[in-house]
Amino acid sequence: MNNKPLAERIRPEKLEDVFGQEHILGRGRILNRILKSGRITNMIFYGPPGVGKTTVANIIANMTNKRFYKLNATNASVKDVKNIIDELDTLFSVDGVLLYLDEIQNFNKKQQQSLLEFIETGKITLIASTTENPYHYIYKAILSRSTIFEFKLLNKSNIIDGLKRAIKIVESELKDKNIKIDEEALEYIANVSNGDLRKALNALEIAIFSTNLDERGIIHIDLNTAYDCTQKKILNFDKFGDNYYDILSAFQKSIRGSDPDAAIHYLARLIKAGDLISICRRLLVTASEDIGLAYPNAISIVKACVDTALQVGLPEARIPLAEATLLLSTAPKSNSVIKAIDAALYDIETKDIGDIPAYLKDAHYFGASKLGRGIGYKYPHDYDNNYIKQQYLPDNIKDVKYYIPGKNKLEEKIKSYINRLKGSEL
């Protein structure tokens, strides 16, 4: 019996046998075309674990005449790179070197720079893989000399195909034993693997070798066996990784898009990760950024929900957080607040805004009047409707409009009130 993990034993050796990634490996797609041209360039494979990055790198290695080296940046050092460089001009590497560097994000800038000279001369062709966003973690000079390919999570169908192929391989190894897996068990393993074929294969392998033969001499894997052999579903969530920001972004955008179901879904992901602080912060920001003056009380209610959540902690915190999420998702929307403040900040950073009108400056000190401070200021409460027309902005930007009321019930009332007060359009 082969002692290699099942995931290694079923690893495809041909491009056509790779599961998923049709967007780059399918017929006529970019990576497929590059590989079939025979001109292998520097590449960076970016995507979650268990989706085929290493498999494709191995297939590429078998397609070239280059000497193949494989390093994992988690435990490799500059010395390991130097040992490869020392062989570049030997008979062993007459056609150059293909280096597969797994988890390149774990190499610091100096370690990545040690490869740069040889990548530029073509003596080393680099294929690097990473689970983190390469634009955040990989040295820009290497990025500029490489083509980035994003590998995506496998879908359920891909996972099931991989599991069925694995079963055939194990049956051929066991020879006189058959494996029967119920369809619901197969689907369950595929569902909880979260797009990671390696994880699904590990669960299948445990199921096969922990299940006794039934009275017919068959290894029968039912749903209960699948439950026992799979770990609790682990979501792709790393608080310091790219996926962390993706989920937070999707959470706020779902609220902004008035989709309560999607918003609750992403909230559930964040709750599963136990990230209370990020949830609370995003809810408070969203209350002002996306709801704002369309429903000004929203921020008060959200603040109460957030305070409650932080006080009671998880798992109970999920309830007030869900309340806040659903409130914001179903509330009227307005971005007039963020547009106003961002426009004002932009002017401050980019324009000569000029001085504050003298009559608006502080006049509560001896000698202020001699400097012209406060002279000519009209106190609005001395006039009808507590309003009197006067200039408040500096001369250089006196006619600018920062606040544009949103098209919602409350801000339409605000607009109407201001127009009546000023006798002009807002």
Side-chain angles (χ1 to χ4, degrees):
M1 182 67 195
N2 195 325
N3 290 322
K4 283 185 178 180
L6 185 55
E8 285 296 318
R9 302 207 301 277
I10 79 150
R11 194 183 290 280
E13 296 180 355
K14 295 184 298 183
L15 210 56
E16 318 66 270
D17 295 333
V18 175
F19 300 105
Q21 313 311 332
E22 288 86 358
H23 64 292
I24 52 175
L25 294 175
R27 187 172 181 178
R29 298 294 184 176
I30 180 64
L31 184 51
N32 187 306
R33 297 202 310 270
I34 289 173
L35 300 186
K36 291 194 173 174
S37 74
R39 295 182 62 83
I40 309 302
T41 58
N42 300 307
M43 305 179 192
I44 296 172
F45 294 166
Y46 157 51
V51 296
K53 299 189 298 295
T54 302
T55 295
V56 174
N58 287 338
I59 292 172
I60 294 172
N62 293 331
M63 295 171 65
T64 72
N65 294 321
K66 298 178 184 292
R67 186 165 177 80
F68 182 56
Y69 292 91
K70 183 176 179 180
L71 294 177
N72 189 307
T74 305
N75 49 38
S77 64
V78 172
K79 183 181 178 183
D80 294 309
V81 175
K82 188 176 182 302
N83 290 338
I84 294 172
I85 291 169
D86 289 341
E87 288 199 21
L88 287 178
D89 295 318
T90 67
L91 288 174
F92 295 110
S93 305
V94 66
D95 294 316
V97 161
L98 178 65
L99 171 61
Y100 176 53
L101 183 57
D102 197 12
E103 305 292 348
I104 189 176
Q105 74 273 9
N106 290 308
F107 261 16
N108 60 35
K109 184 176 179 180
K110 182 180 178 181
Q111 289 171 307
Q112 293 185 38
Q113 283 177 319
S114 67
L115 293 167
L116 192 57
E117 174 188 346
F118 303 97
I119 291 173
E120 287 181 329
T121 61
K123 290 184 177 181
I124 290 180
T125 301
L126 176 69
I127 299 178
S129 68
T130 175
T131 56
E132 304 294 346
N133 191 323
Y135 294 101
H136 296 166
Y137 291 92
I138 297 179
Y139 184 44
K140 285 183 174 56
I142 289 180
L143 282 179
S144 68
R145 291 162 177 80
S146 307
T147 305
I148 297 173
F149 296 99
E150 183 175 3
F151 283 61
K152 298 181 180 180
L153 287 170
L154 301 180
N155 60 39
K156 186 170 77 170
S157 176
N158 298 146
I159 301 290
I160 289 175
D161 288 344
L163 292 171
K164 287 180 177 178
R165 182 169 183 264
I167 289 169
K168 288 180 181 178
I169 289 174
V170 175
E171 282 183 327
S172 69
E173 293 172 345
L174 295 175
K175 296 177 182 176
D176 58 339
K177 297 183 179 69
N178 290 323
I179 300 168
K180 181 181 184 302
I181 182 167
D182 293 347
E183 194 65 31
E184 57 186 2
L186 197 65
E187 292 211 0
Y188 176 76
I189 293 174
N191 282 331
V192 299
S193 69
N194 199 38
D196 183 336
L197 181 56
R198 188 186 301 116
K199 182 180 176 184
L201 291 170
N202 290 341
L204 176 65
E205 188 168 28
I206 294 170
I208 291 172
F209 294 106
S210 65
T211 303
N212 295 322
L213 297 174
D214 64 13
E215 63 279 1
R216 299 167 296 167
I218 293 173
I219 298 173
H220 180 204
I221 300 170
D222 58 16
L223 185 57
N224 287 331
T225 305
Y227 281 146
D228 291 341
C229 296
T230 51
Q231 298 176 337
K232 185 178 179 182
K233 186 173 184 180
I234 300 173
L235 298 175
N236 289 325
F237 188 100
D238 174 3
K239 191 171 180 180
F240 301 101
D242 195 45
N243 192 250
Y244 163 75
Y245 298 103
D246 289 343
I247 297 174
L248 285 170
S249 176
F251 178 52
Q252 182 168 356
K253 286 172 181 172
S254 298
I255 294 174
R256 180 184 297 148
S258 299
D259 190 330
D261 299 307
I264 281 289
H265 168 79
Y266 292 114
L267 173 66
R269 288 199 191 191
L270 295 166
I271 287 172
K272 272 290 188 183
D275 189 25
L276 269 183
I277 299 300
S278 292
I279 298 170
C280 293
R281 179 180 177 276
R282 193 58 63 114
L283 285 170
L284 287 167
V285 169
T286 302
S288 292
E289 180 179 346
D290 296 305
I291 285 76
L293 293 177
Y295 183 24
N297 286 339
I299 193 166
S300 300
I301 299 170
V302 169
K303 179 65 166 62
C305 289
V306 162
D307 289 346
T308 303
L310 293 173
Q311 186 170 350
V312 302
L314 289 168
E316 289 83 0
R318 74 190 189 282
I319 304 168
L321 293 177
E323 180 181 350
T325 298
L326 291 174
L327 173 79
L328 296 179
S329 299
T330 56
K333 304 298 187 293
S334 173
N335 67 344
S336 61
V337 172
I338 188 173
K339 287 178 72 175
I341 186 60
D342 284 354
L345 288 168
Y346 178 80
D347 278 0
I348 290 170
E349 292 170 358
T350 62
K351 293 181 179 179
D352 176 12
I353 54 177
D355 198 9
I356 300 168
Y359 51 83
L360 295 182
K361 292 183 177 181
D362 179 28
H364 294 88
Y365 57 92
F366 177 75
S369 61
K370 292 182 180 181
L371 296 174
R373 303 295 192 261
I375 296 173
Y377 172 62
K378 299 172 184 177
Y379 186 57
H381 297 293
D382 288 340
Y383 298 87
D384 291 343
N385 298 316
N386 303 304
Y387 174 76
I388 182 66
K389 186 175 181 178
Q390 67 184 327
Q391 180 184 325
Y392 291 94
L393 281 167
D395 287 341
N396 292 5
I397 55 171
K398 65 180 181 178
D399 296 320
V400 73
K401 299 289 184 187
Y402 292 122
Y403 173 56
I404 309 297
K407 294 181 179 179
N408 57 79
K409 190 175 180 179
L410 182 57
E411 286 189 277
E412 289 289 350
K413 289 183 177 179
I414 292 173
K415 181 178 179 180
S416 177
Y417 167 73
I418 296 294
N419 285 342
R420 286 198 312 273
L421 195 64
K422 296 186 175 183
S424 62
E425 291 296 320
L426 179 61

